[in-house]
Amino acid sequence: MAEPEGLFFFRALDSLFLSGSSPSFLGLSALAFASILGGVMLGRLFVLLLDPFLGGSRSMVSFEDVSEGKRSEKSFFRSFDHEENGDEELDEYFHQPEKKRRLTPDQVQFLERSFEVENKLEPERKIQLAKELGLQPRQVAIWFQNRRARWKTKQLEKDYEALQSSFNKLLLKQTEKGSSESSNTNQQSQAPLNAPIADSGSEGEVSKISIQACKQEDLSSTKSDVLDSESPCYIDGDHSSFLEPGDSSYVFEPDQSDLSQDEEDNLSKSLMHPPTYVFPKIEDVDYPNPSANSGCFGFPVEDQTFGFWSY
DNA sequence: TTGTGTTTTATTGCCTCC
DNA sequence: GGAGGCAATAAAACACAA
């Protein structure tokens, strides 16, 4: 498929400035083009402005191997491949805003594994992961940040559910106790207690529990980055203080005998014993399908590293 | 096909730590 | 002051029902 001249020119520019050419060549090319464009700064600015439209540089994710046709067909690059009209193409080149590109399932899987090992990212590890995956270090950092946020949300949900079920069981126990002690107790005083037990989704009770849960969240999140009961983040986690009996923040003591095995596991795991992880080297991580023709764990890498784009 | 809700990627602004 | 973390948020990509 023939490219319009303008497009070819900008692609050439793109590859000159942003490909993994040898540093000297890159430097010379950059210098040459910058002078053509009226100076080094102008040249760089030019590339920066173009970059989003060129699309190939900022995000290093290549979707060549992504099998989901839906995704691929929506890709900005695919549209280049299939578009016939050159003018439209050029127009698209200039007016198409940069699209977000999702990581490939393989990349995500690798990142997930890495996250399981250690959910915080040291600079060297970030660089290494980025290299392995063919991503910008910043993309890796962002992924970890978002992943931590997701993890925290999930953990909060889990904690809340555990808390709620424990609370409901406690209420049930109290109710049964109360009714057996005095059969002629005031029915009205019992009614509000019975309601939430029958329906744990009852608004009033949920809000009460929410307040408690929020209090805990406040207490636990004031100091810590991530409320992290299972996360590998806290290798020497000092989070045993979270909701320990005797602690002033301890809202109520769950009747362990009342809890199911799962709940017991959950509580004991999340509240008392953060697991210890040993961080393996990346090369030790058993990653599936390492491709022979790629130096990046089988990830197709568009060489976009260390271009002019200052992420 | 389209409308809508959810998920993912990325940005911004603030805070803390060194 | 710079680097890195987090919360809040935007927006694109995706899933799915009608």
Side-chain angles (χ1 to χ4, degrees), chain A residues 63-83 92 96 99 101:
Chain A
F63 286 98
E64 292 302 318
D65 281 354
V66 177
S67 54
E68 290 105 329
K70 224 177 176 181
R71 182 180 296 172
S72 299
E73 278 165 24
K74 279 187 174 178
S75 155
F76 178 43
F77 300 105
R78 295 279 170 154
S79 71
F80 271 131
D81 293 340
H82 300 301
E83 188 61 62
E92 202 177 2
Q96 184 95 14
K99 303 236 167 139
R101 269 149 276 164

Side-chain angles (χ1 to χ4, degrees), chain A residues 71 102-117 125 129 133 135 143-144 147 150 285-290 297 299:
Chain A
R71 182 180 296 172
R102 293 200 170 189
L103 306 183
T104 65
D106 285 348
Q107 286 171 320
V108 171
Q109 191 184 359
F110 191 81
L111 286 166
E112 286 286 355
R113 284 177 181 227
S114 187
F115 182 84
E116 281 171 21
V117 172
R125 192 165 153 242
L129 271 174
L133 295 168
L135 297 170
W143 189 90
F144 265 75
R147 186 64 184 80
R150 262 179 282 154
V285 176
D286 177 31
Y287 186 76
N289 306 323
F297 284 81
F299 299 113

